[in-house]
């Protein structure tokens, strides 16, 4: 599939599980093309002792997906030649945004009660209705930056791996099929993904999560045109259920 029009390959560490990095690097070196490493799901994870997100010519990580902060992303470039003179304005979270983070971190039971009162369950089972919102371009806000600077990433990895394995055992007890037969020993997983038998069963799990104050959700945003044209892709999307690791 690689010809003169191909300038780069993107390697995605889905759910924080490292890909076969050596295979990607060998392919890109052979064809003299760039390797873009999408590590949005795996912030904090490693592979052979080195940080995920630093193996490509360009690496992207998203700490706010695993750390409860208002903003923050990581852009890495091979050779560390990034220009630090960034003119993009910093993100300014609203008071409600800060309150939501404080309540989530310190009073999760209160957040669950408020969610039930103020919200209806999102339509996770409908690809037209459950989609990620647009995030504008900002640099990280000062509070989130301080949280990351003080972060003990080793503790984060241990906590997330423990949560993943708890959901893994839960899945086996409830006839769910884990997407990965084994979690990489250095991974920092974003969530626990599993397959169910059909779309009706995935909807039941979304209902179960809502009733039990557990965030159970679908993959949020595949292109609508791709889902409509590709039956296999649609079938896989309908059977995929994600369990949050808190």
């Amino acid at each position: 599939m690689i010809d003169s029009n191909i300038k780069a390959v993107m390697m995605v560490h889905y759910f924080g599980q490292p890909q076969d990095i050596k295979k990607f690097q060998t392919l890109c070196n052979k064809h003299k093309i760039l390797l873009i490493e999408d590590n949005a799901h795996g912030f904090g994870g490693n592979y052979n002792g080195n940080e995920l997100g630093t193996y490509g010519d360009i690496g992207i990580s998203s700490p706010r997906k695993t750390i409860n902060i208002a903003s923050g992303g990581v852009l890495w470039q091979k050779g560390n030649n990034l220009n630090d003179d960034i003119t993009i304005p910093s993100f300014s979270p609203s008071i409600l945004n800060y309150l939501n983070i404080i309540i989530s971190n310190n009073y999760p039971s209160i957040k669950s009660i408020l969610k039930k009162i103020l919200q209806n369950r999102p339509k996770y089972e409908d690809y037209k209705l459950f989609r990620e919102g647009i995030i504008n371009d900002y640099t990280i806000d000062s509070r989130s930056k301080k949280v990351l600077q003080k972060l003990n990433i080793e503790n984060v990895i241990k906590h997330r791996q423990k949560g993943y394995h708890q959901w893994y055992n839960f899945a086996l007890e409830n006839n769910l099929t884990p997407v990965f037969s084994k979690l990489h020993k250095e991974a920092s997983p974003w969530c626990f993904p599993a397959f169910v038998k059909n779309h009706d069963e995935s909807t039941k799990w979304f209902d179960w999560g809502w009733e039990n104050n557990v965030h159970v959700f679908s993959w949020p945003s595949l292109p609508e045109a791709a889902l409509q044209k590709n039956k296999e892709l649609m079938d896989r999307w309908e059977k995929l259920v994600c369990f949050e690791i808190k």
Side-chain angles (χ1 to χ4, degrees):
M1 295 175 65
I2 296 179
D3 57 27
S4 59
N5 294 317
I6 303 299
K7 307 302 180 186
V9 168
M10 185 165 73
M11 170 178 63
V12 185
H13 301 310
Y14 291 105
F15 305 106
Q17 178 84 339
Q19 289 277 5
D20 186 341
I21 295 176
K22 184 65 176 178
K23 183 182 290 186
F24 278 88
Q25 290 177 325
T26 300
L27 177 74
C28 291
N29 289 336
K30 176 182 177 181
H31 295 279
K32 295 181 173 55
I33 55 179
L34 297 174
L35 176 59
I36 301 172
E37 185 180 3
D38 181 348
N39 185 45
H41 289 173
F43 173 73
N46 293 280
Y47 184 82
N48 291 338
N50 295 318
E51 291 179 68
L52 290 180
T54 64
Y55 278 93
D57 296 285
I58 295 171
I60 302 160
S61 298
S62 184
R64 67 179 187 84
K65 283 186 168 64
T66 52
I67 311 299
N68 194 14
I69 52 179
S71 66
V74 178
L75 175 63
W76 183 91
Q77 181 181 334
K78 189 175 182 179
N80 297 318
N81 295 319
L82 289 172
N83 185 355
D84 290 332
D85 185 21
I86 299 175
T87 57
I88 302 172
S90 61
F91 181 68
S92 299
S94 66
I95 295 176
L96 287 176
N97 195 312
Y98 272 136
L99 284 174
N100 181 51
I101 291 173
I102 292 170
I103 292 173
S104 297
N105 288 338
N106 299 287
Y107 310 101
S109 58
I110 294 178
K111 182 183 178 181
S112 298
I113 294 171
L114 290 174
K115 184 176 73 172
K116 282 287 187 68
I117 295 173
L118 300 175
Q119 298 180 15
N120 295 317
R121 177 174 76 74
K123 294 292 184 180
Y124 299 120
E125 66 275 23
D126 190 332
Y127 71 90
K128 293 182 179 179
L129 297 179
F130 180 58
R131 308 189 74 81
E132 289 182 324
I134 296 174
I135 300 176
N136 293 321
D137 290 331
Y138 293 104
T139 57
I140 191 170
D141 67 281
S142 57
R143 181 187 178 278
S144 298
K145 189 173 183 179
K146 289 178 182 178
V147 170
L148 287 178
Q149 289 171 338
K150 296 178 180 179
L151 188 67
N152 187 320
I153 195 63
E154 289 79 14
N155 288 343
V156 171
I157 294 172
K158 290 179 182 178
H159 172 77
R160 301 197 70 79
Q161 287 191 357
K162 180 180 178 181
Y164 182 96
H165 289 122
Q166 288 173 339
W167 280 123
Y168 187 95
N169 294 330
F170 176 89
L172 298 183
E173 293 169 359
N174 289 274
N175 298 316
L176 300 169
T177 303
V179 170
F180 305 111
S181 60
K182 185 179 180 180
L183 179 68
H184 191 279
K185 64 181 180 180
E186 297 173 282
S188 178
W190 168 48
C191 69
F192 174 78
F195 288 118
V196 297
K197 294 181 178 65
N198 52 51
H199 196 206
D200 288 340
E201 188 176 345
S202 65
T203 302
K204 289 179 182 178
W205 279 110
F206 301 144
D207 290 335
W208 175 87
W210 188 257
E211 291 300 320
N212 290 277
N213 296 321
V214 178
H215 190 198
V216 184
F217 56 98
S218 61
W219 188 275
S221 56
L222 289 173
E224 185 172 338
L227 288 170
Q228 291 177 344
K229 292 179 181 178
N230 190 323
K231 185 179 183 303
E232 181 182 356
L233 181 63
M234 184 68 177
D235 183 62
R236 180 172 295 189
W237 181 86
E238 290 182 337
K239 294 178 181 177
L240 181 63
V241 177
C242 302
F243 293 81
E244 180 184 29
I245 300 173
K246 292 186 178 181

